[in-house]
C-alpha cells in the first residue's frame, strides 16, 4: 500500500492537474485549445486525402452470384425492368441450342384465375414440363399484363405498340384481333432473325407432356392442326397457328417475311387464313421451306381431341370463342389430367370431359 506522502506528491494528482489554469492563465489555456483543435482537423484532412472513405453503395447496381432475396420460386420471380431488351430476354430463356418457347399475353388473359394461371399450372403438373418453364418467354402486349406476368414468371417482355390497345379480350377475327395476330408474326420474324429457334404456343394451350421428342427432326416449319388427316407432309391438313415450331435459317426467315407481307393482299384475314392462301404459291416452293404438320394424337384440341391420354402432349382450346368458355373447359382438361396422374396404370380408352361449353 502506498503511503499518504507518496500519494500527495504524485504528478498525476487531481489537485495538481486542476491548478494548471492558475499557472498559465485563462487566455493561454484558450490559445492551447484552439491550437490543439486546429492540429487535429489538419491531421484528419490529411488522413482522408491519403485514405478516402468509400462512397455510399448503390444497392441497385449490386451484383451477386446469389440474389439478396430468394426469387427462385415461380410464385415470386425477380421483376425485370421494362427497359430490358428483347434479345436479353431471349438469351436468358434460351436452351443450349438457342431454342425458346414464346407466348403472348394481354390483360384479359393475365387476370388472376384467368388463362395465364392455367397455362403456368399445366407446366407445373405436366410430365417433364416443369423444366421447360425456364425457357418460356411471355411477350406482354400491355403494361398491366406485364406487371402481372412479372409477379409470376421471370422471362416477361413488354412489347409496346403505339396507337393500339391490346389489353381487353379480342374476339376472333375482329379488327383488333387481326392487328394482334399480325404483330405476333412480325415479332416471331425478329426472333428468327436474331438466330433463335422457337416454339410458339398460345396461352390457351395446356402443356401436359414435353413435346420436344415429338418434333420432326427434318422440318423447318412445323404446325399444329385443327384436324389432322394422317399425313404430316400434307399442307391440306386443317392447320392451327396456335402451336408452331420453327428453326432459324434463311428459309424460315424468308417465309415469315413473305407471310407478313401477304397481310396486305388479304387485309380482312388473320394470319392462319392467310397461311392457307399462300402455302401453295410458287414463291414458297422457291424459298424451299420444309413444312410438317402435327398429329392431333400428340397435339390435340377441342376441334379434334387427342385420342390417347397416354400420348398427348398439348391440349388447345381451339374451336372455342369466348374467354369464359375457354376457362371452363381448360379447367376440365386439367381436372382430367390430374385424375389420370392419380391412376396406378395406363388408361386404355381416353374419355375427355371436353369440349363442354366449347361445343
Amino acid at each position: 500500500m502506498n503511503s499518504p506522502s507518496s500519494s500527495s506528491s504524485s504528478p498525476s494528482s487531481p489537485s495538481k492537474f486542476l491548478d494548471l489554469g492558475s499557472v498559465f492563465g485563462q487566455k493561454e489555456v484558450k490559445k492551447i485549445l484552439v491550437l490543439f483543435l486546429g492540429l487535429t482537423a489538419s491531421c484528419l484532412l490529411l488522413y482522408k486525402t491519403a485514405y478516402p472513405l468509400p462512397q455510399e453503395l448503390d444497392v441497385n447496381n449490386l451484383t451477386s452470384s446469389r440474389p439478396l432475396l430468394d426469387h427462385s420460386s415461380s410464385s415470386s420471380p425477380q421483376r425485370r425492368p421494362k427497359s430490358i431488351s428483347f434479345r436479353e430476354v431471349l438469351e436468358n430463356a434460351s436452351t443450349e441450342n438457342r431454342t425458346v418457347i414464346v407466348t403472348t399475353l394481354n390483360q384479359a388473359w393475365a387476370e388472376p384465375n384467368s388463362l395465364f394461371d392455367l397455362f403456368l399450372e399445366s407446366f407445373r403438373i405436366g410430365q417433364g414440363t416443369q423444366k421447360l418453364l425456364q425457357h418460356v418467354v411471355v411477350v406482354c402486349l400491355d403494361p398491366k399484363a406485364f406487371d402481372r406476368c412479372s409477379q409470376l414468371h421471370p422471362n416477361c417482355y413488354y412489347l409496346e405498340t403505339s396507337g393500339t390497345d391490346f389489353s381487353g379480350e379480342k374476339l376472333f377475327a375482329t379488327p383488333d384481333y387481326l392487328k394482334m395476330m399480325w404483330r405476333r408474326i412480325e415479332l416471331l420474324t425478329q426472333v428468327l432473325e436474331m438466330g433463335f429457334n422457337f416454339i410458339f404456343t398460345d396461352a390457351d394451350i395446356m402443356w401436359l407432356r414435353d413435346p420436344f421428342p415429338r418434333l420432326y427432326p427434318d422440318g423447318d416449319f412445323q404446325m399444329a392442326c385443327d384436324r389432322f388427316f394422317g399425313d404430316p407432309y400434307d399442307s391440306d391438313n386443317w392447320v392451327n397457328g396456335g402451336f408452331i415450331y420453327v428453326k432459324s435459317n434463311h428459309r424460315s426467315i424468308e417465309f415469315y417475311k413473305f407471310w407478313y407481307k401477304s397481310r396486305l393482299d388479304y387485309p380482312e384475314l388473320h394470319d392462319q387464313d392467310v397461311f392457307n392462301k399462300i402455302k401453295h404459291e410458287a414463291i414458297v416452293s422457291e424459298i424451299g421451306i420444309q413444312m410438317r404438320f402435327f398429329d392431333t394424337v400428340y397435339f390435340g384440341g377441342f376441334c379434334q381431341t387427342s385420342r390417347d391420354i397416354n400420348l398427348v402432349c398439348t391440349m388447345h382450346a381451339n374451336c372455342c370463342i369466348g374467354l369464359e368458355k375457354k376457362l371452363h373447359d381448360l379447367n376440365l382438361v386439367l381436372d382430367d389430367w390430374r385424375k389420370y396422374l392419380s391412376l396406378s396404370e395406363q388408361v386404355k380408352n381416353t374419355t375427355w370431359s371436353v369440349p363442354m361449353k366449347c361445343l
Side-chain angles (χ1 to χ4, degrees):
M1 178 177 291
N2 293 327
S3 64
S5 59
S6 63
S7 175
S8 61
S9 62
S10 171
S12 58
S13 170
S15 60
K16 296 282 186 180
F17 199 76
L18 291 173
D19 286 343
L20 286 174
S22 60
V23 175
F24 293 103
Q26 293 292 331
K27 291 184 180 181
E28 285 77 5
V29 170
K30 288 181 180 179
K31 288 180 181 179
I32 292 171
L33 288 174
V34 170
L35 179 62
F36 174 78
L37 292 173
L39 289 172
T40 302
S42 300
C43 290
L44 285 173
L45 180 61
L46 289 171
Y47 180 84
K48 284 187 176 182
T49 303
Y51 303 100
L53 292 173
Q55 295 181 354
E56 183 179 354
L57 288 176
D58 181 1
V59 295
N60 294 320
N61 290 327
L62 287 176
T63 57
S64 174
S65 59
R66 294 183 61 187
L68 297 178
L69 295 176
D70 182 13
H71 295 291
S72 60
S73 170
S74 59
S75 61
S76 59
Q78 189 172 9
R79 179 173 294 193
R80 298 184 186 280
K82 291 182 182 180
S83 60
I84 189 171
S85 73
F86 189 40
R87 182 184 292 275
E88 288 176 293
V89 177
L90 295 173
E91 292 284 0
N92 289 334
S94 175
T95 65
E96 291 184 359
N97 70 343
R98 295 183 65 80
T99 300
V100 291
I101 301 167
V102 181
T103 192
T104 53
L105 187 67
N106 68 351
Q107 179 186 346
W109 285 27
E111 294 288 347
N113 302 314
S114 193
L115 288 175
F116 187 50
D117 286 351
L118 296 183
F119 178 73
L120 295 178
E121 178 66 9
S122 73
F123 277 88
R124 297 186 188 107
I125 66 174
Q127 291 184 341
T129 53
Q130 297 91 339
K131 66 181 183 295
L132 300 179
L133 260 179
Q134 63 184 308
H135 304 302
V136 174
V137 172
V138 183
V139 177
C140 302
L141 302 176
D142 59 80
K144 289 187 176 179
F146 177 81
D147 289 341
R148 180 86 207 295
C149 178
S150 299
Q151 296 170 15
L152 302 175
H153 187 67
N155 301 318
C156 304
Y157 176 71
Y158 175 44
L159 178 67
E160 294 188 71
T161 305
S162 59
T164 304
D165 180 10
F166 286 141
S167 61
E169 181 182 0
K170 304 304 176 188
L171 294 178
F172 182 76
T174 59
D176 279 352
Y177 176 88
L178 298 180
K179 291 178 183 177
M180 193 162 62
M181 294 301 101
W182 287 116
R183 188 71 176 99
R184 184 175 82 183
I185 296 297
E186 182 182 30
L187 183 79
L188 293 175
T189 306
Q190 295 172 1
V191 174
L192 295 174
E193 289 179 321
M194 287 188 280
F196 294 94
N197 316 308
F198 67 78
I199 287 181
F200 176 81
T201 173
D202 279 339
D204 62 346
I205 291 179
M206 302 295 98
W207 284 54
L208 306 177
R209 282 191 179 87
D210 181 354
F212 280 91
R214 299 296 181 183
L215 303 179
Y216 298 106
D218 58 346
D220 302 315
F221 175 95
Q222 304 176 29
M223 197 176 202
C225 299
D226 285 338
R227 291 195 178 274
F228 179 76
F229 300 119
D231 184 358
Y233 294 81
D234 185 4
S235 59
D236 287 328
N237 288 298
W238 294 2
V239 299
N240 187 291
F243 190 94
I244 304 176
Y245 169 63
V246 187
K247 295 177 182 177
S248 175
N249 55 43
H250 70 278
R251 295 182 297 274
S252 62
I253 293 170
E254 287 305 308
F255 174 73
Y256 262 78
K257 287 180 177 179
F258 173 63
W259 191 1
Y260 182 70
K261 183 180 178 182
S262 297
R263 80 194 189 285
L264 302 176
D265 298 325
Y266 305 98
E268 296 182 357
L269 299 182
H270 60 84
D271 58 320
Q272 186 173 302
D273 283 347
V274 171
F275 174 84
N276 284 324
K277 293 286 186 181
I278 67 174
K279 61 188 179 183
H280 294 307
E281 291 193 16
I283 189 172
V284 175
S285 297
E286 293 171 8
I287 291 172
I289 190 167
Q290 298 296 311
M291 294 187 180
R292 304 288 183 269
F293 301 93
F294 293 125
D295 192 332
T296 51
V297 167
Y298 308 110
F299 301 90
F302 297 165
C303 301
Q304 189 175 39
T305 56
S306 173
R307 300 184 299 279
D308 192 342
I309 199 170
N310 303 299
L311 299 176
V312 64
C313 295
T314 62
M315 279 287 284
H316 188 186
N318 52 7
C319 292
C320 185
I321 298 176
L323 178 57
E324 292 303 319
K325 292 180 180 179
K326 287 178 181 285
L327 283 171
H328 179 272
D329 281 13
L330 287 176
N331 270 297
L332 293 180
V333 168
L334 294 185
D335 286 344
D336 288 344
W337 181 251
R338 292 187 187 96
K339 291 175 185 176
Y340 167 77
L341 293 177
S342 69
L343 300 176
S344 58
E345 58 184 25
Q346 287 191 342
V347 177
K348 293 182 180 179
N349 297 313
T350 300
T351 302
W352 293 99
S353 300
V354 293
M356 184 176 291
K357 289 193 174 182
C358 290
L359 291 173

